[in-house]
Amino acid sequence: MSAIKPSDRLILALDLPDVAQARALVTTLGDSVSFYKVGMELAYSGDGFAFADELAARGKKIFLDLKLHDIPNTVKRATAQLARRGATFLTIHAFPQTMAAAKEGAAGSGLKLLAVTVLTSYDDDDLTAAGYRFPVRDLVPHRAQQAKALGIDGLVAAASEAAELRRSIGEEMILVTPGIRPAGGQAGDQKRIATPAAAIAAGADYLVVGRPITEAADPRAAAEAIQHEIATARG
Ligand code: C5P
């Protein structure tokens, strides 16, 4: 993962309700940000997918955070559709059937699959209520190993999980880490936060950042400060 430019390791989360607001932010950020995450809110707004395609056509990298999970035939065919859009990353839930089907759907394309092991909104009680017999701390590494065995490209993981996951999955898989807050920043609704430098030190390859940039008085300066911190942390 060392060949990636430090500035390309920052993924800006376009958590916005419509394309007009997303377009304005992308224009403000200009050439400082090269990688954008389009989640369900923006993708499912009127022309969200068309906007993601437009960004890809303009040379930006796109992370489609759509967290697919359905019967294998549907996941395979949906992944194949998304693979045609020129995106770089797509998230899927880390269920073995879903991961295997997505892998088939992405075959032959440049789309890389990132598995979400356990949603960070889940704690052990939520897992029990959903019928699971494993606590979060067992289920995350279990699913990470399944993802690795199935040839999934990477994982989305909080910085607090990243170091342990990196040790267990090795160097090959991509680790993408949200919940990033520059030192002294507002946590917002994030419970498990880390600074950019700490996340990189824990083994993250890419950092997903939303509000610390989108709500900054000068978003471009905020993005560049985080990119500088990433570059410094990687030495
Ligand atoms: O604004 P903020 O920097 O908290 O945004 C983080 C982004 O990362 C959001 O798009 C959020 O949905 C996403 N994310 C997360 N935690 C996860 C997975 C994704 O915060 N476990």
Side-chain angles (χ1 to χ4, degrees), residues 11-15 37-39 63 65 67 91 116 118-121 156-158 161 176-181 186-190 192-193 208-215:
I11 304 178
L12 191 287
L14 283 172
D15 294 329
K37 181 168 91 72
V38 175
F63 170 2
D65 189 11
K67 297 188 176 70
T91 42
V116 176
V118 178
L119 290 170
T120 46
S121 57
V156 179
E161 297 166 344
V176 178
T177 298
I180 302 299
R181 293 294 177 267
Q186 299 282 319
D189 57 359
Q190 295 280 16
R192 292 186 281 156
I193 58 172
V208 175
V209 186
R211 290 162 291 181
I213 295 171
T214 60
E215 294 180 357

Side-chain angles (χ1 to χ4, degrees), residues 87-136:
T88 299
F89 291 156
L90 169 69
T91 42
I92 53 174
H93 282 282
F95 288 77
Q97 274 192 356
T98 295
M99 293 192 286
K103 181 125 175 92
E104 282 183 46
S109 78
L111 182 66
K112 289 189 175 7
L113 298 169
L114 303 178
V116 176
T117 53
V118 178
L119 290 170
T120 46
S121 57
Y122 272 61
D123 61 18
D124 292 345
D125 290 340
D126 295 309
L127 285 181
T128 303
Y132 289 87
R133 287 179 288 113
F134 302 101
V136 174

